[in-house]
Amino acid sequence: MTLLYPLEAELDPDVRLQLLGTKAAGLNEMTALGIPVPPGFTITTEVGKGYRQTRTLPDGLEASVTEAVHSIEERLGKRFGDATNPLLVSVRSGAQISMPGMMDTLLNIGLNERSLGGLATMHGDQRFALDAYRRLLQMYGTVVRGIGGDRFQYLLSDLKTHLGQPRMLDSEVPATALEGLIASQLSLIEEASGAPFPQDVHTQLWDSIGAVFASWDNMRAVRYRRMQGIDNDGGTSCTVQAMVFGNTGPQSGSGVAFTRNPSNGDKQLYGEFLPNAQGEDVVGGIRTPVALTSNAAAPGKEASSLEASLPEAFEAISAYCTTLENHFGDMQDVEFTIENGHSYLLQTRAAKRTARAAVRVAVDMVSEGVLTKEGALLRVDARSLEQLLQARLPTQTELSAHGVEPLAVGLPASPGAASGRIVFTADDAVRWVAEGQDVILVRQETSADDIHGMKAAKGVVTAAGGMTSHAAVVARGLGKCCVVGCAGLEISPKERTVRLDNSESSEPLREGDLLTVNGSTGSVYAGALDMVASATVDELQELMEWADHVRRMRIYAEADTPQAARAALSYGAEGVGLCRTERMFFAQDRLFAMRCALLAIDDEQRREWLSELEQAQKDDFVEMFEAMDGRPVTIRLLDRALGEFLPQDQESLQAIANALDLELEEVTKAAERHRESNPAFGHRGVRAGLTVPGLYDMQLRAMLFAARECTDQGVPVELEVLVPMVAFTSEVEALCSVLNAVQQQVFPESTNLFTCRVGAMVELPRACLIADQLARYTQFFSFGGNDLTQTTLGISREDAGRFLPTYLNDLGLVARDPFTYLDEQVAELMGIALERAKAVRPDLTAGLCGDQGGSPASIEICERLHLDFVCAPLSQLPGARLAAAQARLR
């Protein structure tokens, strides 16, 4: 097995990504394209996987690494650890799927007391060499020895305070002060870890390689993979590359460039640049950078842009970006360093982007001839389209008219708007959200360790950083609104307060206070502001038309009200796949009637209250049919434990007793008879409908009378009656008898003037096994993903929160939440049901509803099973349409 490859190695494209990971694969391709990349080599992902299992590196690797380092030395004329002409290297991670900032990197490996003077002499700058050494010590201490980064940061902050300039930039710390800082860092490493910092450069390199491989399993990487649905069983590669320095003077710097705007998709070079800085300063948001282009620069700062200050380097980087986008056929995120006027590219990868940008870039690239329509459909993450339906704030002009002004304005790093309570740490964000609060995470800057808090929060605000900082890039990837570089922000983590207007006299905002963030404009407001409907994306309609042309499965909506049905049409639904009738009973007047019907002591009294409910349901169904205008409307008969409709308080029970002309004691005892220890598997669904006299009769009459009223008015109706919680064929047979009797009542003189089909909600393992019998009485199946999952796994959905997070997050016993992503064994049961049912009724149609219905991963399984439709919540309808097309293409 080949353990490592030089960056210039010629590799088959099919194995390049698999062996090298995204970062090194990009370096390999850039090298082949003739783009200047510092020389280096990559230890493969296979070695990384082995290290995870054994915590040892394979025999022969050390000799291969030594030989590869020697090759770099020969190319550059430098020597690793040399006292006069030292070679320094970086050690970087690289997974097969990009995980920006989640794993570890070390820079300046090879620097020690012996080579420090040589580096200073080479560059003619002692301060530069000292700064490189203190960066190495901090990285080595945190990544290799596991010392908290805050301890190193405290040493630096304490030094600045001692110098009397606590707000000074890192680049302004004088050389003499850096010497003292380095001595403190060396002492900290030895005291905290029990061993001194290694002066042997080969030990530094070997330690760093092991730490990078181990970083696959750090908590932030594990959390990120879980959030993004990435397989946890892989491993990272490790790239060792010669250092180039962006902090060697005014002709140097580092930056990040996007080949298009990652927020809105505009075709223009977009990014930021920090003069006289290393790349970590840009991504980490430690300093606020300047724009790449003069047009994007703040008014009066055009001359500081890269385009104006280093025009030759700007032209070179622009040309490289164009070459890379054309080569990869996708928008790229490029990291670069300029050392004394010479440009080097350190990374290229497919750029993280907002849903708005993803849609626009995909459609534009079809117009430009870069992508086919099919390629464009596969380029957009179906899960992200839900972001496009997010609300936004009114314009500032509209807000100002009502006396609302921003307390602070920063950079609009990720679009959208959100309100929530202020928290200052990622852990607090997770905790507050678990307690039911919406939060805004407020930080000086974010790091990869904050990923879980950013995921939980509604929005993010940072005092420092630019449009390509960690906070900005991650927020765009997560679909969170974000404002960065909010210069007026004065955060006191100790006091848990923040001042937003830079005024000592103003009252600070405290943890728990409400804050509103506008990531589209960069404005931050006190309090919770009202939102308005989301803006449209012109290109989305075109992309959806392509998806609709490709996909095979129909996309239905979950809609329990006429208003929801009308909204579903605007999102592209082809019908209503699940109308939960029990939710129609929770309006106050209807709930009272339902309670009286359930607690009535005789059939006549029950019929009186059911008649009131029938009229209300009929009116709702008429509106649903009118909204759908001949499209399918699947109405599920009542499927709720009856005890859940009933009150327990004396006042409500007394009101029911008065209405039924009964004693309170009688009503209380009747209500108690409906109480169940396990209502999810008790008196619900078809069991309740067949045993409570008149209950399902009422619902069926409401449906049929509504259908008749609509057809009499020329409105076409396609009604589908869904029978829930079926366990026995006899239940469906009995329900069909009830339906036939009701049809005779509603249509005594003629046949139906509309389509009416009966379906079984297949949500029990037994129902899957008797699917052939059920198919004799039904025309369609709707697999109830929620209940089929909990009955197959033996996990109560309501109680899963007690242990499932531990299974997912701590023990790693399951890879995904089975109530969000369709479990493979649940899918296997569905496959058995389909095979048996279609043997009896080949034209039977089937689909999936429930929480998994809008999940792209679940939709892909549905395509493999050849289901006819999926049913998704309103906000997931565009994503479901796209996911169905992607599943067909794959």
Side-chain angles (χ1 to χ4, degrees), residues 468-751:
T468 57
S469 64
H470 174 273
V473 172
V474 173
R476 286 194 289 267
L478 294 175
K480 304 289 183 177
C481 63
C482 178
V483 174
V484 300
C486 211
L489 223 62
E490 292 187 7
I491 300 169
S492 174
K494 184 178 179 181
E495 300 295 331
R496 293 184 179 269
T497 62
V498 56
R499 293 181 186 275
L500 287 169
D501 65 354
N502 213 16
S503 169
E504 293 296 330
S505 61
S506 69
E507 187 69 22
L509 295 176
R510 304 182 184 279
E511 181 179 59
D513 286 349
L514 287 167
L515 199 68
T516 297
V517 180
N518 189 342
S520 302
T521 65
S523 299
V524 180
Y525 303 86
L529 303 186
D530 291 336
M531 308 288 174
V532 297
S534 60
T536 59
V537 180
D538 294 338
E539 292 82 2
L540 179 61
Q541 181 61 34
E542 190 169 2
L543 189 76
M544 288 293 98
E545 288 174 1
W546 299 344
D548 293 342
H549 179 73
V550 168
R551 65 181 167 85
R552 180 191 58 81
M553 286 187 291
R554 296 189 298 278
I555 307 300
Y556 293 155
E558 295 178 2
D560 305 324
T561 65
Q563 293 81 7
R566 286 188 285 269
L569 286 180
S570 69
Y571 293 157
E574 296 170 273
V576 172
L578 181 62
C579 172
R580 302 175 177 90
T581 54
E582 60 271 10
R583 297 191 179 184
M584 296 176 165
F585 294 135
F586 280 96
Q588 196 58 41
D589 55 339
R590 299 183 186 187
L591 181 58
F592 185 76
M594 183 65 173
R595 290 170 169 176
C596 290
L598 293 177
L599 298 177
I601 59 172
D602 58 53
D603 291 348
E604 182 178 351
Q605 201 175 42
R606 182 176 295 106
R607 278 195 296 270
E608 177 186 342
W609 291 102
L610 288 175
S611 176
E612 183 175 324
L613 290 171
E614 180 183 324
Q615 183 59 45
Q617 288 234 295
K618 190 209 81 168
D619 292 343
D620 283 343
F621 294 150
V622 166
E623 284 195 67
M624 297 278 281
F625 294 145
E626 289 176 342
M628 287 294 107
D629 194 26
R631 299 174 182 85
V633 177
T634 306
I635 301 176
R636 186 178 71 185
L637 294 163
L638 182 70
D639 183 27
R640 194 180 186 94
L642 300 182
E644 295 181 12
F645 286 102
L646 301 177
Q648 297 186 35
D649 64 285
Q650 290 281 314
E651 183 179 352
S652 298
L653 289 168
Q654 184 62 63
I656 295 169
N658 294 341
L660 296 174
D661 195 22
L662 297 173
E663 296 295 327
L664 176 61
E665 184 179 358
E666 289 181 89
V667 171
T668 302
K669 288 181 178 179
E672 283 302 316
R673 286 195 292 272
H674 284 290
R675 307 287 179 208
E676 298 175 286
S677 59
N678 194 351
F681 302 110
H683 198 199
R684 60 170 282 205
V686 70
R687 305 160 193 166
L690 294 175
T691 56
V692 176
L695 184 57
Y696 272 8
D697 304 60
M698 175 272 291
Q699 290 199 292
L700 291 168
R701 278 197 305 273
M703 294 178 207
L704 296 180
F705 274 120
R708 177 168 183 166
E709 181 176 318
C710 287
T711 53
D712 287 347
Q713 296 172 0
V715 177
V717 172
E718 186 172 334
L719 169 63
E720 296 186 335
V721 180
L722 186 57
V723 188
M725 214 62 186
V726 172
F728 304 97
T729 309
S730 55
E731 292 170 324
V732 180
E733 186 178 3
L735 187 283
C736 288
S737 297
V738 175
L739 176 59
N740 289 335
V742 172
Q743 284 178 316
Q744 291 299 315
Q745 296 173 22
V746 178
F747 301 99
E749 73 290 342
S750 64
T751 58

Side-chain angles (χ1 to χ4, degrees), residues 7 140 164 174 211 229 257 275 315 355 364 458 492 535 603 660 667 671 674 781 855:
L7 293 182
Y140 184 91
E315 288 299 326
D364 285 352
K458 290 291 185 182
S492 174
D603 291 348
L660 296 174
V667 171
H674 284 290
F781 285 173
S855 157

Side-chain angles (χ1 to χ4, degrees), residues 167-427:
R167 294 182 181 276
M168 74 189 314
L169 298 175
D170 295 356
S171 58
E172 296 171 339
V173 178
T176 53
L178 286 177
E179 290 176 336
L181 176 62
I182 288 168
S184 298
Q185 289 177 321
L186 288 167
S187 297
L188 173 60
I189 290 172
E190 185 165 6
E191 291 169 8
S193 67
F197 172 76
Q199 292 296 315
D200 180 75
V201 295
H202 296 284
T203 300
Q204 292 178 20
L205 178 58
W206 204 242
D207 288 350
S208 300
I209 290 170
V212 164
F213 280 133
S215 70
W216 174 271
D217 290 312
N218 71 42
M219 184 52 66
R220 61 180 181 269
V222 171
R223 284 170 173 155
Y224 185 84
R225 288 194 294 273
R226 189 183 307 127
M227 287 188 293
Q228 300 297 322
I230 299 171
D231 185 3
N232 202 48
D233 293 332
T236 181
S237 65
C238 179
T239 297
V240 178
Q241 197 174 12
M243 285 293 302
V244 289
F245 299 97
N247 57 337
T248 57
Q251 294 296 304
S252 302
S254 297
V256 175
F258 292 83
T259 56
R260 303 188 189 219
N261 188 310
S263 289
N264 59 30
D266 282 351
K267 189 178 181 181
Q268 59 183 22
L269 193 65
Y270 175 97
E272 293 172 323
F273 170 71
L274 267 179
N276 197 22
Q278 284 196 250
E280 71 209 66
D281 300 334
V282 182
V283 178
I286 298 168
R287 289 163 54 190
T288 300
V290 298
L292 287 183
T293 64
S294 299
N295 288 340
K301 295 188 176 182
E302 292 84 359
S304 65
S305 68
L306 178 63
E307 182 179 21
S309 61
L310 295 172
E312 292 183 5
F314 174 81
E315 288 299 326
I317 290 166
S318 298
Y320 299 149
C321 285
T322 300
T323 298
L324 290 170
E325 182 171 285
N326 291 337
H327 174 73
F328 288 105
D330 194 9
M331 171 182 161
Q332 295 294 293
D333 169 4
V334 174
E335 293 182 15
F336 64 88
T337 288
I338 303 167
E339 181 180 284
N340 298 322
H342 297 285
S343 301
Y344 299 90
L345 266 57
L346 305 182
Q347 177 168 282
T348 188
R349 62 189 174 196
K352 299 290 183 185
R353 65 206 81 174
T354 65
R356 181 180 301 275
V359 170
R360 183 172 180 186
V361 168
V363 173
D364 285 352
M365 284 190 164
V366 173
S367 301
E368 295 161 14
V370 177
L371 289 176
T372 64
K373 291 179 181 179
E374 291 78 9
L377 290 171
L378 292 170
R379 187 58 54 79
V380 179
D381 182 356
R383 294 172 302 175
S384 72
L385 294 190
E386 197 169 351
Q387 299 172 24
L388 297 179
L389 307 181
Q390 294 172 344
R392 61 181 176 86
L393 286 173
T395 66
Q396 187 55 54
T397 301
E398 293 170 309
L399 290 172
S400 297
H402 292 87
V404 177
E405 299 294 337
L407 291 176
V409 178
L411 300 173
S414 184
S419 296
R421 299 193 179 277
I422 296 171
V423 294
F424 294 100
T425 71
D427 289 341

Side-chain angles (χ1 to χ4, degrees), residues 740-783:
N740 289 335
V742 172
Q743 284 178 316
Q744 291 299 315
Q745 296 173 22
V746 178
F747 301 99
E749 73 290 342
S750 64
T751 58
N752 292 7
L753 301 176
F754 57 89
T755 302
C756 180
R757 303 166 74 228
V758 175
M761 194 154 195
V762 180
E763 48 195 337
L764 300 173
R766 190 178 195 277
C768 293
L769 298 178
I770 62 167
D772 53 339
Q773 300 172 38
L774 296 177
R776 300 181 192 279
Y777 296 94
T778 59
Q779 290 81 49
F780 72 97
F781 285 173
S782 184
F783 290 101

